Amino acid sequence: MLLGFATFALLCLSVLGSEGNWTVKHEEGRCAIRGQCGKKSFFGGELPCPDNGLAKEPDEDTRAKLVAICGNDWGEGDVCCDEAQVDNLRSNLKRAESIIAGCPACKTNFFNLFCTFTCSPDQSLFVNVTDFEEKSGKLLVTELDTLWSDEYGKGFYDSCKDVKFTGGNVMGFIGGNAKNYTAFLKFLGDTKPFGSPFQINFPRPSSRPFEDMTASDPIPKACNDTDEAYRCACTDCEASCPELAKVTEHEYCHVGALPCLSFGVTIVYCLFLLLLVTAVSGHIAYQKHNQRKSERLQLLQDAALSDDEDEGEMVHNAGMIDRPQRQYRFNTICDSTFSHLGRKCARYPLITIGISFLVVIVLSIGWIDFEVETNPVRLWVSPSSAAAKEKAFFDKSFGPFYRAEQAFVVNDTLPSGPGPVLSYDTLAWWFDVEARVQRRMSPDEGVAFSDVCFNPTGEACVVQSLTGYFGGSFANVDADTWQKDLRHCTDQPGSQDCLPGFQQPLDKDIIFGGYEQNGDVLDAKAMIITWVVNNHDEGSDGERRALDWEQGLINVLRDAQSEAKDRGLRLSFSTERSLEEELNKSTNTDAKIVVISYIIMFLYASLALGSTTLSVRSILQNPANALVASKFTLGVIGIVIVLMSVSASVGLFSACGIKVTLIIAEVIPFLVLAVGVDNIFLIVHEFERVNVSHPDEEVETRMAKALGRMGPSILLSASTETIAFALGAAVGMPAVKNFAVYAAGAVLINALLQVTMFVSVLALNQRRVEDRRADCFPCIKIRRANVGSSHGAGAYGYDDEGPLQKFIRKVYAPFLLDRRVKVAVVVLFLGLFTAGLALIPEVALGLDQRIAFPRGSYLIPYFNDLDAYFNTGPPVYFVVQDSSVTGRSEQRSVCGRFSTCESYSLTNVLEQESKRPNVSYISGATASWIDDFFTWLNPVNEACCVEHGETCFEGRDPPWNITLYGMPEGEEFIHYLTKWLHSPTNEECPFGGAAPYSTALVIDPSTHPPSVPASHFRTSHTPLRSQSDFIDAYASARRIASSVSEDQNISVFPYSKFYIFFDQYASIIRLTGTLLGSALAIIFVLSSALLGSIATGLIVTITVAMIVVDVIGCMALFSVSLNAISLVNLVICVGIGVEFCAHIARAFTYPSKSVMEKSKSKFRGRDLRAWTALTNVGASVFSGITVTKFLGVFVLAFTRSKIFEIYYFRIWLALVVLAALHSLVWLPVALSLVGGDGYLDPESEGGLEDDLAARRYRALLPEDDYDSEDY
C-alpha cells in the first residue's frame, strides 16, 4: 500500500508545478498531454495522460494515419500523440466531417485546430493541464487550458458560422448556436456526452498573463479563400455570395406626414375656397356700389312707374316663360313605348300577371341546380389565375398541403400578467394530454392519429412539441434535470438524444413563445403544439377520415381546456376544420339578423306605400276612406315582385351552373329592394298625380300616362345599374363575378316585372278603389267610403298630399335653392369630396380572419395567441417545374453548396434574400434537396450511401468532389436519387432523404431517361403579424421566383398555403379602379343618351363618383379594409347611387308642367326645374330608398358577427346617408347651377289642372297651394 502511494506521489510530482499548473515546462518541442490513460466511466470517452515530456517521432503506421486525417503538413517531424490518440482523433473528426464537409474552409480550420491541439510538437506552448484525476494508478486529464489567438478564433468562427446542414445551421450542431467565436470555442471545449470527454478551456490571451506560453496562431482559411480548394459555396459563406440587385421598395409619395394625394387635394380645395371668398367679396362690393349708384339715379328720375313696370303687373307666373319647349326624340319614343305598354298591361291585367308568374316559375326551375359555394379558394381566386393553377400543380405533384392542428398552452390568467408556463407538473399533465390524443379514436369511424398523421419515415408521426425532446414519453423526464435537459435540446436540437421519432430537429421557436425578452426557454409564456395530418383531395375518403379524427381531437382539447383552467393556465386551439365551421356558424347567426332586416324593410315599404293618398284630414272626415284608399296589399305585391325577381335570377343562373355565394344570398335582396321599392314608389306617386289631373280618363289611359312619364326614368336607372353590375362579370374573381351576374339579372328582371306585372296590379287596385272595395279584402264593399265617388281637384287634389311632399314643396326646396344656401352646399360637399380623396391612401388592404368569426368563437383567442407567441413564419416552397434536374446545367441552376453552382442559382438567391428579411420576408436556411443529396453521396459519410456492402463513390474515378465534376447525371442520377429518398435519417447518416424530402420531388420513370419534372426547395417567411405583412411577403416571393426564372431560364413559382387567399391583393386596387371607372363611364354614356344632355349626364356621373369616393373615405375612418367583400359593396354603391340620382336628374330634364306652375314667380330657369324635380320625386326618393334602407341597415348593428358589423353595417350606413345627402342636397344644387337643357315632356300636357290654369280659373283650385305668401 505504501508502494502504491509512493508511485502516485511520484506521478504527481512529475507534473506538479505551481498551484493549478500541472504542465511544468512550456517550451518548443515539449508536450503537455500524450496517450490515453482510460475513462472516467464505462460510457465515457478516453482521457489523455498528462505528459510534459519531449515530442517524439511516430512510427510509420501512426504517421500514415496522421497524414491521412490531418494532411500532408504532418508528413514529417516529431509529434505529441501516439497511435491510439490518432485513431480517436480520426473517429471524432470523421463524425464532425459529415456535418461540415460542405465548406472546405470550415472543415480545414476545424481539423487544423484539433490536429494541432492533439499532436503539435510544441504543444506545451499553448496547452496547460489544470486538473486531473487518478484511476487505477493512472492520472487522467480532466481539465486543461489551450491558448489560441483571437485572430484564429475569429477566422475559424467566421468560416463556419453560415454553413448549412440539413435545412439548419451548422452552428446548431457543432457550436451550440454560438453568436461569436468565444462562445463557439467554449461549446467545443465543454464536457458533454457526445463532445469532449474532458474540459477544454479556451481563455483569451489578453485575459490574464500566461507565463512562458504563447497562443497558437496559424492562419485560418477564409470561406471566400482565393484558393478554390478551400472556397465555400455561397450557401455556406456570405462573402462568397454575389450581391443581389437592390429592391426598390414601393413607397407612396409623401409630403411630410401626408400622402401626396391628400396634400394635393387639400391644397386645391384651399385654393378653391380662397377664390370663392374673393369672388363673393367682390360680388358683394359690386352690388353695394350699384345700389348706391341706383339710389342716386333714382333721385333724378320721376317717381312714376314706367310702362314696363305697368306691363309687369300683367305677366302671370313669369317662371313659366322658361319652361322647356323642345322635345327630345328619343324620350318621345321611350314615352310612347312605355305608354303603350302601360295601356296594354292595365287593359289586360290578369293575362299580364299570369304571364309574369309563368315566366318567373319557368326561370325558377333552375333552383333544382342551386348550389352554395363556401370553399374560400373557389370564392376568392379565379380558376384561371396563376395562384389557382400553381396550387393545383402543387397539390397534384406533392399532395395537398398538410392539415395542421395547433394548440397553445399559455400562462396569462394571473392578475399579475403572463408568467412562465413550464413546470414539472405542467409537463406531466401535457404528456398525458398528448397521450390521450394518440389513443383517442374518432367518434364515427374509429380513426386513430396514427391512421391519418403525416409519417415520412414510417416510424413516427410528426408532432411538433416539447415532448419530442424527451422521446414522447414522460418516463424520460427527470424531476431534477428536466430543465437542464430542455435547455440542452433547445440549444442543440440536432443532437441525437433530442431528435423526435420522426428524426427532424425541433426548433425552439416553433414550440415555445414569449421567451424573447431574456432568451431563456424556461421563461416561455406559451407552449405550442402542432399535429401534422395528411391531407387529401376534397370529398375523398381520406379527407372524410381526417375530418372525423379532427372532431375527436376537438373533443379532447375541449376537455383539456377545462383542465388547463383548473391549473391556472389557458388552452387555445384550432383544427383544419375549425375555420369553415366557425364561419358557417357566423353565417347562420347573421341569417336571422338579415331576415329581420328584410322583414322590417318589407313592412315599412308596404305601410309607406299605402299612405300615399291617406292623410289625417281624409281619415277624420270619413274613417271608411282608410279601408279603401289603403295600399297595403299593393305594397306587399311590390315586395313579392322583388322576391320573384331574385328567385328568377337565382334560378336562371343556377341552371347555367353559376353557384350562389353567401354574399349573393345576403346582399342581392338588399340591393334589389333598394332599387325596386323606389321604382314602385315613383310609379304609384305619378299615377296618383295623373288621377288628380285626369280623373275622367279610363284607368288604362291614366296608367299609360303615368308609365309614359316614369318608364323612361326607370329605364335610365335600370339600364345603367344592369350594365354597371354586368361589368363585374368580366372579373376573374368568382365571388365578384357571380355577384355581378346575379345582381345584373335580378335588377333587370325586377325592372321588367315592375313595368308589366306591377302596373297590372296597380290598375286592378285602382278599379278596386273606384268600386269602393276594402284593401286586403276586396270582396267587401265599403259603401260609406267616398274615395273616387267624385271627380276633380277636390277628390284627388293636394289636400290629400302627404306631409313629406308638402314639406319639400313649400319649405325644403325653396330653402335649398336660395343663393346663399347653394354656395354653402357647394363648399360643404366639395369639402366632403376632398376629405374622401384625401383618405383614399389610408384604406388598408386585407381581411383579418378574426373578424369573420362570431363573438365568443374559440378561434379568436387562438389567433390572438398565434400573433403574440408564434415566432416562426409560414413555410414557403419554391417549386421548380418542367426542368428535369438530371443534367449538369439544371443542377447548377438550383444548387448552392458546391463551388460550380451558378452565382444566382435558386438556392444561392434564397440564401442571399434571407439576409435581408425586411425586404424579402424570407427567414432561415433553405432545405435544398439537391445539395443534401449530393452530400449524402460523399464517401466521407461512410454509413450513408452503401451498395453491396461498400460505400458509394469510394474509389470512384473521378472521385466525389465539391466542383460537381463526375457527379451522377441522367439514369445514374435517378438511380441514386431513388435510393436516397428511401434512406432514413439517423446518427450514422444525418443526410437521409426519407424524412425531410420524401414528398419534395416527383420522379417520372416513364420518360427516357427518367426525369424529375417537379421539385421544391423549402424555406420560411419571417413571422407575419399583419395583413400588410402577408401581402408584402406574397409579392416578395413572386419577385424572387420571377428573378430566378429569368436568370436561370427555368420555371420557378412560390407556393405557401396562404398565397391563395392573398392573390387577390396583387390586383385588387387595379381591379377596383377598373370596375368603378368602367361603371362610371357607362353611367355617363347612358345617362347622357337617355336624358339628352351631356351636362346633366356628367353631373349625375360626378355625383355618383362623389358618393363612392366619400364611402371609400368612410372606409378609412371606420377601419374597413379593401378586399373582395368591400369591393362588392363599392359596386353596390355605384348601383344604389345611380338609383338615388337618376330620377331626380330626369325630373329636372323633363319637368312636369303641372308641378312647375306651383312655383309661381319664385324661381326661374334651372332653379325652377330643380325645384320641380325635388317636388315631383324628392319624397319618393326619401321614403322609397332612404328610410327603407336606413331601417334595414340599422338592424344590422345588432349582428354578432364582426364581419357584418364592419363590412355591411358600416359601409351601408355610410352609403345610405351619403347617397341621400348627395341626391337630395348636392344634386339639385348642382343641376340648378350647371345642369343641361330641359325638354318638354309629352305626358305632362293636358288634364284638369292645365285646363283650369289655362283659363285662369284659379278659384277652382285649392287656395293655400297657390298663395305666394306660403313661400
Side-chain angles (χ1 to χ4, degrees):
M1 182 174 178
L2 290 174
L3 180 61
F5 177 79
T7 303
F8 176 68
L10 289 172
L11 287 170
C12 291
L13 290 172
S14 68
V15 299
L16 180 60
S18 59
E19 182 180 356
N21 182 10
W22 308 102
T23 304
V24 179
K25 296 182 178 180
H26 298 279
E27 60 186 16
E28 292 184 0
R30 189 171 291 279
C31 305
I33 56 175
R34 181 163 29 209
Q36 295 180 341
C37 288
K39 303 178 180 180
K40 292 174 67 174
S41 65
F42 179 79
F43 296 102
E46 290 286 345
L47 300 180
C49 310
D51 188 338
N52 202 202
L54 297 175
K56 299 177 182 179
E57 180 76 19
D59 57 42
E60 292 184 5
D61 290 342
T62 303
R63 175 75 69 184
K65 291 180 179 179
L66 184 59
V67 170
I69 189 66
C70 294
N72 293 329
D73 290 346
W74 297 87
E76 59 183 19
D78 296 338
V79 297
C80 285
C81 56
D82 58 18
E83 185 173 7
Q85 280 182 289
V86 172
D87 289 339
N88 191 44
L89 177 66
R90 179 181 181 279
S91 175
N92 291 329
L93 291 181
K94 279 290 184 182
R95 189 163 59 243
E97 184 179 16
S98 64
I99 300 175
I100 61 177
C103 180
C106 176
K107 173 193 168 184
T108 299
N109 292 330
F110 191 94
F111 276 42
N112 188 37
L113 183 142
F114 285 101
C115 286
T116 302
F117 167 76
T118 305
C119 296
S120 171
D122 302 322
Q123 192 183 64
S124 65
L125 289 177
F126 58 90
V127 175
N128 182 57
V129 177
T130 58
D131 200 4
F132 64 88
E133 180 179 308
E134 188 275 335
K135 187 171 184 181
S136 302
K138 294 183 179 181
L139 296 180
L140 310 179
V141 174
T142 58
E143 186 174 356
L144 57 77
D145 292 338
T146 178
L147 211 57
W148 294 79
S149 69
D150 291 332
E151 291 73 16
Y152 184 81
K154 187 176 186 305
F156 178 24
Y157 172 76
D158 288 343
S159 69
C160 295
K161 66 180 181 180
D162 295 322
V163 179
K164 306 301 182 300
F165 177 70
T166 63
N169 198 296
V170 155
M171 277 297 154
F173 294 88
I174 67 168
N177 290 313
K179 302 302 181 185
N180 53 61
Y181 73 93
T182 55
F184 177 37
L185 294 177
K186 180 181 183 303
F187 181 85
L188 290 176
D190 285 345
T191 304
K192 58 182 73 68
F194 294 96
S196 174
F198 59 97
Q199 180 64 36
I200 304 175
N201 301 315
F202 288 86
R204 305 307 341 118
S206 58
S207 62
R208 66 176 189 272
F210 293 92
E211 187 177 353
D212 298 331
M213 293 181 68
T214 303
S216 181
D217 190 25
I219 299 176
K221 299 297 182 183
C223 64
N224 64 336
D225 201 286
T226 55
D227 188 342
E228 291 186 357
Y230 300 109
R231 186 183 305 159
C232 304
C234 166
T235 309
D236 297 327
C237 177
E238 182 177 0
S240 295
C241 293
E243 185 176 354
L244 295 180
K246 185 178 180 181
V247 176
T248 303
E249 294 188 55
H250 184 65
E251 294 184 358
Y252 291 101
C253 172
H254 280 75
V255 178
L258 285 177
C260 287
L261 175 62
S262 306
F263 179 80
V265 296
T266 303
I267 291 297
V268 170
Y269 181 67
C270 291
L271 290 175
F272 164 75
L273 289 180
L274 180 61
L275 291 174
L276 181 64
V277 170
T278 303
V280 171
S281 301
H283 179 70
I284 293 173
Y286 180 74
Q287 277 191 324
K288 289 182 177 179
H289 171 73
N290 277 351
Q291 183 179 2
R292 289 194 296 270
K293 182 178 179 181
S294 176
E295 290 173 352
R296 289 195 300 271
L297 289 174
Q298 285 179 358
L299 295 174
L300 303 175
Q301 295 176 348
D302 189 358
L305 293 173
S306 68
D307 293 340
D308 290 338
E309 289 172 321
D310 291 338
E311 290 175 358
E313 288 295 318
M314 303 295 294
V315 178
H316 177 74
N317 200 354
M320 291 302 293
I321 296 174
D322 296 328
R323 182 183 175 225
Q325 302 299 317
R326 296 182 302 144
Q327 288 192 356
Y328 180 44
R329 181 169 177 77
F330 184 74
N331 179 72
T332 303
I333 295 173
C334 291
D335 184 285
S336 175
T337 302
F338 280 104
S339 293
H340 183 72
L341 177 64
R343 189 182 304 276
K344 292 296 183 183
C345 292
R347 181 171 295 172
Y348 306 107
L350 296 181
I351 295 176
T352 304
I353 294 171
I355 293 175
S356 299
F357 268 111
L358 181 62
V359 171
V360 170
I361 290 172
V362 170
L363 292 177
S364 299
I365 293 175
W367 276 82
I368 61 177
D369 297 319
F370 177 83
E371 286 187 78
V372 178
E373 183 61 82
T374 58
N375 187 315
V377 173
R378 290 195 291 269
L379 276 176
W380 308 120
V381 182
S382 169
S384 60
S385 70
K389 293 178 179 178
E390 289 162 0
K391 181 183 185 301
F393 181 87
F394 187 93
D395 291 349
K396 180 181 178 181
S397 301
F398 312 112
F401 197 82
Y402 315 116
R403 304 176 71 90
E405 335 291 349
Q406 195 169 60
F408 286 81
V409 180
V410 185
N411 181 13
D412 64 355
T413 61
L414 299 177
S416 58
V421 71
L422 294 174
S423 69
Y424 185 75
D425 290 339
T426 299
L427 290 181
W429 166 70
W430 187 252
F431 269 87
D432 178 64
V433 172
E434 286 198 18
R436 278 181 270 162
V437 171
Q438 297 280 352
R439 297 191 304 266
R440 183 64 178 254
M441 308 298 284
S442 64
D444 295 334
E445 300 190 23
V447 178
F449 179 53
S450 58
D451 298 325
V452 296
C453 72
F454 175 55
N455 188 346
T457 63
E459 297 179 1
C461 295
V462 175
V463 180
Q464 296 173 335
S465 168
L466 64 80
T467 59
Y469 287 151
F470 300 95
S473 173
F474 188 66
N476 298 326
V477 181
D478 189 296
D480 298 323
T481 64
W482 70 269
Q483 295 175 317
K484 178 181 177 182
D485 296 338
L486 185 60
R487 280 200 180 102
H488 161 66
C489 288
T490 54
D491 290 340
Q492 304 172 59
S495 297
Q496 194 63 31
D497 58 333
C498 296
L499 288 177
F502 57 92
Q503 295 298 302
Q504 288 297 292
L506 289 169
D507 191 294
K508 60 185 177 182
D509 283 338
I510 66 174
I511 57 178
F512 294 111
Y515 66 90
E516 298 77 14
Q517 187 171 0
N518 59 14
D520 188 354
V521 295
L522 295 179
D523 291 331
K525 300 176 179 62
M527 293 191 301
I528 308 167
I529 304 90
T530 306
W531 295 269
V532 183
V533 174
N534 281 320
N535 208 349
H536 303 272
D537 293 332
E538 187 176 359
S540 63
D541 290 340
E543 186 194 45
R544 190 186 69 254
R545 287 161 58 84
L547 287 169
D548 190 36
W549 179 81
E550 286 171 352
Q551 184 57 56
L553 176 64
I554 291 175
N555 295 337
V556 173
L557 295 181
R558 286 192 183 281
D559 293 338
Q561 279 183 323
S562 300
E563 298 169 6
K565 186 176 181 180
D566 294 338
R567 294 173 173 273
L569 304 174
R570 180 175 56 79
L571 173 65
S572 64
F573 68 90
S574 172
T575 69
E576 198 74 18
R577 67 180 292 164
S578 299
L579 184 62
E580 187 170 343
E581 286 183 348
E582 289 299 290
L583 288 176
N584 290 337
K585 184 185 300 182
S586 175
T587 301
N588 294 334
T589 302
D590 295 332
K592 301 174 184 176
I593 298 294
V594 172
V595 169
I596 294 172
S597 173
Y598 289 145
I599 290 174
I600 290 177
M601 289 189 287
F602 292 166
L603 289 175
Y604 166 77
S606 299
L607 293 173
L609 199 62
S611 66
T612 54
T613 55
L614 282 176
S615 64
V616 175
R617 185 194 305 177
S618 64
I619 295 175
L620 292 177
Q621 287 177 350
N622 188 353
N625 286 345
L627 299 176
V628 175
S630 168
K631 293 185 179 64
F632 183 80
T633 301
L634 188 65
V636 171
I637 296 297
I639 302 304
V640 169
I641 288 176
V642 170
L643 299 179
M644 288 171 63
S645 65
V646 174
S647 175
S649 179
V650 171
L652 173 62
F653 294 114
S654 293
C656 296
I658 301 176
K659 293 185 178 181
V660 174
T661 67
L662 294 177
I663 288 181
I664 292 173
E666 294 161 348
V667 172
I668 293 293
F670 177 93
L671 177 64
V672 179
L673 190 66
V675 174
V677 169
D678 186 43
N679 291 339
I680 290 172
F681 271 73
L682 287 168
I683 293 173
V684 172
H685 287 169
E686 185 60 29
F687 184 64
E688 292 301 330
R689 290 192 183 95
V690 175
N691 283 336
V692 171
S693 60
H694 300 78
D696 296 323
E697 301 284 357
E698 295 293 330
V699 171
E700 51 263 36
T701 302
R702 282 177 269 159
M703 186 59 68
K705 288 183 174 292
L707 191 61
R709 177 163 178 77
M710 284 295 108
S713 185
I714 294 173
L715 174 65
L716 171 61
S717 61
S719 59
T720 52
E721 289 160 3
T722 300
I723 296 177
F725 288 139
L727 285 174
V731 178
M733 192 184 300
V736 177
K737 179 178 182 178
N738 294 7
F739 163 79
V741 170
Y742 277 93
V747 169
L748 179 60
I749 294 172
N750 182 66
L752 293 174
L753 290 176
Q754 285 172 337
V755 297
T756 54
M757 179 178 172
F758 183 76
V759 165
S760 299
V761 173
L762 182 58
L764 289 176
N765 182 75
Q766 183 61 29
R767 291 189 175 97
R768 174 192 64 77
V769 171
E770 294 180 0
D771 200 27
R772 292 183 288 184
R773 295 187 177 274
D775 187 26
C776 300
F777 303 98
C779 296
I780 301 175
K781 191 167 185 177
I782 310 299
R783 300 188 182 277
R784 294 183 57 192
N786 57 15
V787 175
S789 60
S790 61
H791 302 299
Y796 288 95
Y798 280 86
D799 53 334
D800 288 330
E801 184 181 29
L804 178 60
Q805 293 170 295
K806 186 174 293 186
F807 170 78
I808 292 175
R809 181 170 59 83
K810 299 177 67 174
V811 178
Y812 176 70
F815 170 78
L816 182 66
L817 296 174
D818 181 81
R819 282 186 303 175
R820 288 167 294 184
V821 175
K822 286 198 285 187
V823 171
V825 167
V826 171
V827 171
L828 176 64
F829 277 82
L830 288 182
L832 198 61
F833 181 61
T834 300
L837 288 173
L839 287 169
I840 287 178
E842 304 302 321
V843 178
L845 300 181
L847 173 61
D848 189 340
Q849 52 196 332
R850 280 174 290 192
I851 69 172
F853 306 132
R855 290 182 175 89
S857 169
Y858 70 88
L859 289 184
I860 294 177
Y862 164 76
F863 281 106
N864 291 337
D865 290 338
L866 191 68
D867 278 352
Y869 299 114
F870 199 53
N871 294 315
T872 301
V876 54
Y877 301 83
F878 285 84
V879 180
V880 179
Q881 59 178 343
D882 302 327
S883 178
S884 68
V885 203
T886 57
R888 185 71 70 235
S889 61
E890 292 91 349
Q891 292 168 359
R892 288 172 174 166
S893 68
V894 296
C895 72
R897 299 189 64 186
F898 295 86
S899 59
T900 58
C901 295
E902 296 290 344
S903 297
Y904 292 95
S905 69
L906 174 59
T907 305
N908 281 342
V909 168
L910 291 177
E911 173 64 22
Q912 286 297 84
E913 292 287 0
S914 69
K915 296 169 184 174
R916 52 179 188 184
N918 59 316
V919 173
S920 67
Y921 293 89
I922 298 294
S923 174
T926 301
S928 171
W929 66 265
I930 195 167
D931 289 319
D932 284 353
F933 165 57
F934 282 145
T935 304
W936 177 78
L937 291 175
N938 191 343
V940 168
N941 304 310
E942 298 174 347
C944 287
C945 183
V946 178
E947 280 191 315
H948 310 299
E950 295 183 358
T951 301
C952 305
F953 279 70
E954 186 73 52
R956 177 187 170 105
D957 187 24
W960 187 98
N961 63 87
I962 201 166
T963 66
L964 291 181
Y965 176 70
M967 288 294 193
E969 297 181 81
E971 292 187 5
E972 185 185 28
F973 179 88
I974 297 296
H975 166 73
Y976 283 115
L977 184 65
T978 304
K979 186 178 180 66
W980 173 66
L981 288 175
H982 293 87
S983 173
T985 301
N986 51 43
E987 183 178 6
E988 290 74 25
C989 179
F991 297 100
Y997 299 113
S998 60
T999 59
L1001 59 162
V1002 177
I1003 298 177
D1004 185 1
S1006 64
T1007 60
H1008 185 75
S1011 62
V1012 182
S1015 64
H1016 66 62
F1017 294 75
R1018 184 183 72 253
T1019 181
S1020 62
H1021 282 299
T1022 55
L1024 306 177
R1025 305 296 188 193
S1026 65
Q1027 294 291 291
S1028 62
D1029 285 348
F1030 281 99
I1031 295 169
D1032 293 341
Y1034 175 59
S1036 176
R1038 283 278 178 210
R1039 172 187 58 80
I1040 294 169
S1042 298
S1043 173
V1044 173
S1045 298
E1046 183 178 347
D1047 289 341
Q1048 301 303 319
N1049 196 28
I1050 56 177
S1051 178
V1052 180
F1053 70 82
Y1055 177 79
S1056 189
K1057 192 174 183 180
F1058 73 87
Y1059 285 175
I1060 197 77
F1061 303 109
F1062 286 86
D1063 179 69
Q1064 58 178 293
Y1065 301 109
S1067 59
I1068 197 166
I1069 295 178
R1070 182 175 65 253
L1071 176 61
T1072 302
T1074 302
L1075 273 181
L1076 298 182
S1078 302
L1080 291 173
I1082 291 295
I1083 291 170
F1084 172 68
V1085 172
L1086 289 180
S1087 58
S1088 298
L1090 292 174
L1091 293 174
S1093 170
I1094 293 178
T1096 304
L1098 182 61
I1099 291 175
V1100 170
T1101 305
I1102 290 174
T1103 302
V1104 175
M1106 292 173 68
I1107 293 171
V1108 174
V1109 167
D1110 290 344
V1111 169
I1112 295 175
C1114 290
M1115 287 171 58
L1117 294 176
F1118 296 159
S1119 301
V1120 180
S1121 55
L1122 178 61
N1123 49 52
I1125 298 176
S1126 48
L1127 174 56
V1128 169
N1129 279 326
L1130 289 177
V1131 175
I1132 291 176
C1133 290
V1134 174
I1136 293 184
V1138 171
E1139 186 66 25
F1140 268 96
C1141 299
H1143 305 302
I1144 289 179
R1146 193 177 185 282
F1148 170 83
T1149 306
Y1150 303 97
S1152 170
K1153 179 183 177 182
S1154 60
V1155 176
M1156 203 173 187
E1157 283 192 322
K1158 309 300 187 295
S1159 71
K1160 303 196 75 174
S1161 301
K1162 181 69 175 178
F1163 302 105
R1164 298 288 299 272
R1166 284 189 292 262
D1167 283 353
L1168 175 60
R1169 287 189 283 131
W1171 178 89
T1172 303
L1174 274 175
T1175 302
N1176 199 16
V1177 299
S1180 298
V1181 171
F1182 182 80
S1183 59
I1185 297 184
T1186 308
V1187 178
T1188 306
K1189 292 297 98 193
F1190 184 80
L1191 290 174
V1193 170
F1194 178 74
V1195 177
L1196 296 181
F1198 300 98
T1199 179
R1200 288 185 59 206
S1201 171
K1202 290 289 290 182
I1203 197 169
F1204 252 75
E1205 176 194 335
I1206 293 174
Y1207 287 96
Y1208 292 97
F1209 171 69
R1210 295 181 186 179
I1211 292 183
W1212 288 357
L1213 180 63
L1215 169 62
V1216 171
V1217 173
L1218 291 169
L1221 288 175
H1222 279 80
S1223 63
L1224 295 174
V1225 181
W1226 160 262
L1227 182 59
V1229 170
L1231 290 173
S1232 71
L1233 293 173
V1234 290
D1237 294 336
Y1239 295 97
L1240 187 66
D1241 185 10
E1243 292 302 335
S1244 68
E1245 298 301 309
L1248 175 66
E1249 290 194 40
D1250 290 337
D1251 260 356
L1252 297 178
R1255 299 175 188 176
R1256 299 287 199 270
Y1257 292 156
R1258 295 291 169 187
L1260 298 180
L1261 296 175
E1263 288 296 334
D1264 88 308
D1265 291 294
Y1266 288 88
D1267 186 358
S1268 62
E1269 296 300 320
D1270 288 343
Y1271 299 106

